[in-house]
Amino acid sequence: MNDRDDTKPATKVVTAGRRKEWTAGIVNPPIWRASTILYDDVAQLRAAAGRDTHHRLFYGRRGTPTQWSLADALTELEPGAEGTFLYPSGVAAIAAALLAILSPGDELLLVDSAYDPTRGLATGLLKRFGITTRFYDPMIGAGIADLIGPTTRAIFMESPGSLTFEVQDIPAIVAVARAHGIATLLDNTWATPLFFPAIARGIDYTILACTKYVVGHSDAMLGSVTAGPGCFAALRDTSFHLGQHVAPDDAFLGSRGLRTMAVRLRQHQESALTIARWLDARPEVSAVHHPALPGCPGHEQFKRDFTGSSGLFSLALAAGSDDARTTFIDTLDLFGIGYSWGGYESLAIPIDPQRHRSVTTRDDAGLLVRLQIGLEDVGDLIADLDRAFAAWRVVTGA
Ligand SMILES: *Cc1c(COP(=O)(O)O)cnc(C)c1O
């Protein structure tokens, strides 16, 4: 349980997980590579097999101080959390958390704005194992009570939603879930514990695609689930059964990224807000979907519940064809074209969220572009976008 100190999150990202017994005094926890751990004799080997292996060398799959340090740091960042398990990707983390909770015959309530691979997991593997999924409107709030049936076992949230950034009323949904004894999961990749401390807000399992802001440099895949009180044992047992393990080199990259996450996020926030407001005033743009802007569904919840915003949002082009949108993106110089986000470099991709919805529709006029605002000079990024709008106007005749 994390109640060790009352330092601020920006301090914790620097200090957390760096226990002397794991670092031997070296500032960055070293990379311990291991499969076999050697014992002095058979008696010691047998004793180790019967014991709790938490934070004890046992066998490589159970980790070394390199992985424990990162997991411990993520636990410390979530006041009230019981423990954290690491995964080789964000999707692996989502899968383990859901499999830790759900059994055949159970029903999952999944937000309609969820990350597409989360939907794929629910409608694919989970369905095959006899788990049914009901999608719900991201703006449902306390109305989620009407969807709860006798087999409902878990509610999965992602806030803001992937691609369209609706902010959910998490406190209202948590209150309903608690009243019914239903587990809550949150994909908190966008806000991170720095902008939304999920466990303190009553979430049972909070998930990060650490690939994004924790790693922060687009050079490793990593995921985590941090469990609230009474929730860690189920997560750990399921993860052991699944054989989940993170390479120490990747865990090291996660730890190294974490140390600068607070300052990076501050810059992502500031630059993204500057650009979002600039875009909002452009005639070429019909909408900007950014939780900190008043037009975003759930903006009131954002102001109430979040302590900051990160660097990912989307915009709708006011007119034009898919070709015009492609020209806009292809003309950008400083924005790379590629999946993922959370690294230091800016990215742009075309998105079509209506393809990934089943109970809600998007009535955006115009075609959407998702931007990840990186750490480049914000004036340079705006100049790049300005050039791309000029090229877009030529194609659309605007
Ligand atoms: C990228 C992402 C994931 C998956 O993370 P990977 O590490 O790429 O598997 C999950 N949720 C959200 C919101 C994401 O953006």
Side-chain angles (χ1 to χ4, degrees):
M1 190 73 68
N2 163 39
D3 48 15
R4 251 174 282 164
D5 68 55
D6 58 357
T7 55
K8 299 284 188 296
T11 302
K12 286 209 172 75
V13 299
V14 173
T15 58
R18 290 170 48 206
R19 296 190 197 178
K20 186 89 179 269
E21 70 260 33
W22 295 341
T23 64
I26 297 167
V27 172
N28 280 339
I31 298 172
W32 298 56
R33 296 195 185 89
S35 58
T36 297
I37 311 294
L38 296 173
Y39 299 91
D40 289 343
D41 52 31
V42 170
Q44 206 186 59
L45 176 100
R46 286 190 173 138
R51 206 166 53 194
D52 181 2
T53 58
H54 190 57
H55 294 171
R56 274 184 221 254
L57 288 173
F58 171 66
Y59 173 54
R61 201 186 327 106
R62 299 278 168 96
T64 68
T66 313
Q67 293 97 339
W68 305 337
S69 173
L70 175 59
D72 207 45
L74 294 171
T75 303
E76 278 191 57
L77 280 174
E78 285 283 355
E82 192 182 354
T84 298
F85 209 95
L86 301 178
Y87 301 89
S89 72
V91 168
I94 292 165
L98 287 169
L99 290 171
I101 299 164
L102 296 165
S103 299
D106 287 345
E107 181 185 66
L108 166 69
L109 299 182
L110 177 56
V111 66
D112 207 24
S113 51
Y115 182 60
D116 189 40
T118 307
R119 298 176 68 95
L121 170 68
T123 57
L125 184 80
L126 296 185
K127 183 171 178 220
R128 198 148 62 72
F129 287 114
I131 297 154
T132 54
T133 296
R134 253 176 114 174
F135 289 97
Y136 67 88
D137 185 332
M139 302 318 295
I140 200 166
I144 195 122
D146 298 337
L147 299 187
I148 290 172
T151 62
T152 308
R153 179 81 189 87
I155 302 174
F156 192 103
M157 293 162 255
E158 183 181 329
S159 184
S162 267
L163 308 181
T164 42
F165 301 92
E166 299 92 335
V167 181
Q168 296 192 244
D169 192 341
I170 293 176
I173 293 174
V174 164
V176 170
R178 289 256 155 123
H180 289 81
I182 291 168
T184 51
L185 305 93
L186 172 69
D187 184 332
N188 198 30
T189 301
W190 185 89
T192 84
L194 296 185
F195 291 153
F196 186 81
I199 298 297
R201 306 296 168 84
I203 294 287
D204 294 318
Y205 297 90
T206 180
I207 299 159
L208 295 178
C210 298
T211 308
K212 314 291 166 54
Y213 287 126
V214 173
V215 169
H217 295 71
S218 308
D219 50 7
M221 305 291 300
L222 210 57
S224 67
V225 181
T226 298
C231 298
F232 186 62
L235 179 72
R236 188 192 50 205
D237 290 350
T238 297
S239 303
F240 282 174
H241 292 155
L242 291 169
Q244 289 293 11
H245 169 263
V246 159
D249 299 73
D250 293 341
F252 174 86
L253 288 171
S255 284
R256 179 140 98 169
L258 184 69
R259 305 305 169 198
T260 59
M261 190 167 81
V263 281
R264 283 187 287 107
L265 273 178
R266 206 187 304 147
Q267 189 61 51
H268 285 298
Q269 164 166 250
E270 185 187 311
S271 297
L273 276 171
T274 302
I275 291 174
R277 290 189 181 117
W278 179 81
L279 288 166
D280 210 25
R282 294 288 302 207
E284 298 91 342
V285 174
S286 59
V288 177
H289 304 298
H290 186 304
L293 263 54
C296 189
H299 174 64
E300 293 306 316
Q301 280 85 270
F302 172 79
K303 282 198 296 188
R304 184 191 62 195
D305 298 338
F306 288 65
T307 58
S309 57
S310 63
L312 191 79
F313 64 94
S314 61
L315 64 102
L317 291 164
S321 59
D322 187 39
D323 281 351
R325 173 170 66 170
T326 300
T327 298
F328 174 75
I329 294 171
D330 283 347
T331 305
L332 292 165
D333 242 1
L334 293 174
F335 289 77
I337 301 168
Y339 293 112
S340 202
W341 48 279
Y344 52 79
E345 81 295 4
S346 292
L347 298 169
I349 53 168
I351 54 168
D352 298 291
Q354 58 282 0
R355 283 208 223 136
H356 314 295
R357 293 296 160 102
S358 41
V359 298
T360 50
T361 50
R362 300 288 310 178
D363 53 3
D364 288 293
L367 296 164
L368 296 185
V369 176
R370 190 184 75 179
L371 297 180
Q372 123 92 4
I373 305 302
L375 304 179
E376 304 88 345
D377 179 86
V378 71
D380 287 343
L381 293 176
I382 286 175
D384 201 29
L385 290 161
D386 199 35
R387 272 186 338 101
F389 281 130
W392 177 87
R393 283 195 303 271
V394 171
V395 178
T396 57

